[in-house]
Amino acid sequence: YGSNGVHIGPSEIIGVGVAVLVLVVTFGSLLAAGMSLLPALLGVAVGLAGLFALTPAVSISSTAVTLALMLGLAVGIDYILFILTRHRQQLARGTDPRESIALANGTAGSAVVFAGSTVIIALAALSVIGIPFLTVMGLGAAGAVLVAVLAAITLLPALAGFAGTRLTPKPGSKEARRATDPDGSAGRTTLGARWVRTVVAKPLLTVLAVAGILLALALPAADLRLALPDNASAPVTSTERKAYDTVGDKFGPGFNGPLLVLTETDKGSGARAGAQAAQKLRDLKGVEAVLPPVPTRDAAQTVIQVIPETGPDSARTDRLVRDIRAAAPDIRESTGATVAVTGTTAVNIDVSTRLSDSLLPFMAIVVGLSLILLTVVFRSLVVPLKAAFGFLLSVAASLGLVVALFQWGWLADTLGLAHTGPVVSFLPIILIGVLFGLAMDYEVFLVSGMREEWVHTGVARGSVIDGARHSVRVVTAAALIMFTVFAGFFPLDDALIKPIAFALAVGVAIDAFAVRLTLVPAVLALAGRHAWWLPAWLDRVLPDLDVEGTRLQKAPQVRHKEPERVS
């Protein structure tokens, strides 16, 4: 454990080790794998150093630091993978190293900036909710992603400049053959091309099968309950958990989360009004005990402890808090005292309620943003609608698996969960924000190649297969890296990080393999020529972002000679 309680253990190291292995297999080069990992690690180090530097001025929890570490490392490796893959493909085709890294930065690097910006915006939006610790968590993670993006588009080109031609794939290697035979004319069929051909062979069956499976996985999400974890979620061997269990066994679960009720009267005796209010509170359903009112320094105020029958994370305790607040007008009318409920349990319930209320508006903003951005990028109506539908399926299926494991307790013993209960209240918003950025990145990387083939050939189904030929391999590697990095944080005994790590790991896997690599080609093949249709009036109105830098690839490479010196 570090000074802020950040844990780096064997599971995280194994996760990074698996990421290195994936990079070596993807690139076929230790140098290229090291070039991918070094800027990502340096970016994470800079991001965490900046976060630690703020600790004298801002209270930063260990969860915020761990989340920043997890996201910074995962997106850092992925973003560098996209740029470096493009650079090595161009080197294999004989492009000058300096021109190649500049072109890769202008094409794949632009897509990285686009994807990273979406993640940053979504994470920074946590500050709008108005909960201080969530604001710090969101801005800290957004800062780590920002540093990862900057490392990818600045440090990587500099390191590539030092490496020069040494990053060029060896002649005759698989990497070189894939780069120099972009259309597969030599008869070599990649695994990615075979998978896409299988998917688009019967596109309607593929769409129905994938959508049906994801909807089935999403069914548990209908029972989603949100709450902040308490000491019941602490490690079994910790003193907090032992004390929590002992109090619950000996006195009752409600004693672990008493409610504090403040009574205040404008006239008369505060003690008498408090006693009358306490009597009213005893009559409410779900109350185990009401302790005698305790006067404060103000004679008009008293504090009453209300012990619920159930624990802090129970739905019945939540209902009791609502019942007390609903009964406040009647209590004021009969006793003359105003009633306000507070305490850790009530505060956690209020935070969870606010997050629950903001979930649908946040989702609407994210989906609306994706529709606008993808319409501008791909000049199509089907592509953004399909992307938004697939994104919603990914989020719903991920939340369904989270509910089944962490709330219902399916496979809890197998995976070593010491406690099941409501899902961490801010998990859905973090999942939506991070998964949105990654989904847009994979979407741009895959569909841009398909659109380019469509523009060149005009063959709808063929453009889907040929356009995905190389992208499938890179997206697969990126998703595997993301999955292993996130999964590496799952074994932590942290009630906040464990479900977030699980949700992000399964979310990335579902979105990359089920949605982007399977559902997307099938839908585009099913739509045919209509997949690339956009009304003429809308095409004229929309700006041209050129996220993938296609104009750079079409622009002639002009070398400027230095003027001769006149003696």
Side-chain angles (χ1 to χ4, degrees), residues 289-559:
V290 176
L291 302 187
V294 177
T296 68
R297 293 180 180 178
D298 189 337
Q301 295 178 342
T302 64
V303 175
I304 306 171
Q305 277 201 24
V306 178
I307 310 300
E309 293 178 349
T310 51
D313 62 355
S314 172
R316 291 173 60 190
T317 304
D318 188 340
R319 193 177 308 117
L320 176 58
V321 172
R322 298 175 189 273
D323 289 345
I324 294 174
R325 288 170 174 162
D330 293 336
I331 294 175
R332 178 175 176 81
E333 184 177 347
S334 60
T335 67
T338 58
V339 171
V341 187
T342 185
T344 303
T345 301
V347 169
N348 287 348
I349 290 173
D350 291 343
V351 169
S352 300
T353 301
R354 184 181 295 185
L355 286 168
S356 299
D357 294 341
S358 62
L359 185 58
L360 288 180
F362 185 77
M363 175 75 82
I365 292 172
V366 168
V367 172
L369 183 63
S370 69
L371 290 174
I372 295 172
L373 289 176
L374 292 177
T375 302
V376 172
V377 171
F378 292 113
R379 330 298 290 184
S380 163
L381 292 181
V382 172
V383 170
L385 289 173
K386 169 263 308 169
F389 176 69
F391 170 70
L392 291 175
L393 281 178
S394 300
V395 171
S398 303
L399 289 178
L401 291 174
V402 169
V403 170
L405 175 60
F406 289 91
Q407 187 173 314
W408 292 357
W410 291 4
L411 300 178
D413 294 335
T414 304
L415 296 177
L417 294 186
H419 176 77
T420 57
V423 177
V424 177
S425 53
F426 51 83
L427 181 149
I429 288 182
I430 290 179
L431 175 66
I432 291 168
V434 175
L435 206 58
F436 171 66
L438 300 180
M440 293 306 100
D441 200 10
Y442 297 158
E443 184 80 12
V444 170
F445 204 77
L446 273 172
V447 181
S448 60
M450 300 177 187
R451 176 173 172 76
E452 187 175 349
E453 288 291 330
W454 162 255
V455 171
H456 289 165
T457 65
V459 180
R461 183 164 297 194
S463 65
V464 173
I465 298 173
D466 295 336
R469 184 181 301 274
H470 301 296
S471 303
V472 170
R473 178 182 178 85
V474 180
V475 170
T476 300
L480 287 175
I481 291 171
M482 282 279 190
F483 177 83
T484 54
V485 172
F486 290 145
F489 287 83
F490 177 76
L492 288 180
D493 282 329
D494 189 318
L496 294 175
I497 291 298
K498 185 185 286 286
I500 293 175
F502 176 83
L504 291 176
V506 298
V508 166
I510 290 172
D511 191 81
F513 298 115
V515 175
R516 305 303 152 191
L517 297 181
T518 306
L519 190 62
V520 166
V523 171
L524 292 180
L526 197 61
R529 304 175 63 89
H530 302 291
W532 312 107
W533 176 80
L534 184 71
W537 65 268
L538 186 57
D539 190 30
R540 291 191 298 269
V541 172
L542 294 176
D544 187 3
L545 293 183
D546 194 21
V547 170
E548 273 287 321
T550 52
R551 285 194 294 269
L552 287 177
Q553 300 176 71
K554 295 176 182 177
Q557 301 295 325
V558 180
R559 295 186 180 222

Side-chain angles (χ1 to χ4, degrees), residues 86-160:
R86 182 69 62 89
H87 176 50
R88 282 168 54 82
Q89 288 175 351
Q90 293 164 175
L91 288 177
R93 296 168 190 160
T95 308
D96 178 77
R98 290 190 177 184
E99 291 182 0
S100 176
I101 190 60
L103 184 59
N105 220 29
T107 53
S110 297
V112 163
V113 172
F114 167 77
S117 298
T118 58
V119 177
I120 292 168
I121 291 171
L123 289 172
L126 289 174
S127 60
V128 178
I129 299 173
I131 301 172
F133 82 92
L134 277 183
T135 299
V136 173
M137 190 177 298
L139 293 180
V145 174
L146 174 61
V147 174
V149 172
L150 293 177
I153 62 175
T154 58
L155 184 57
L156 177 62
L159 293 175

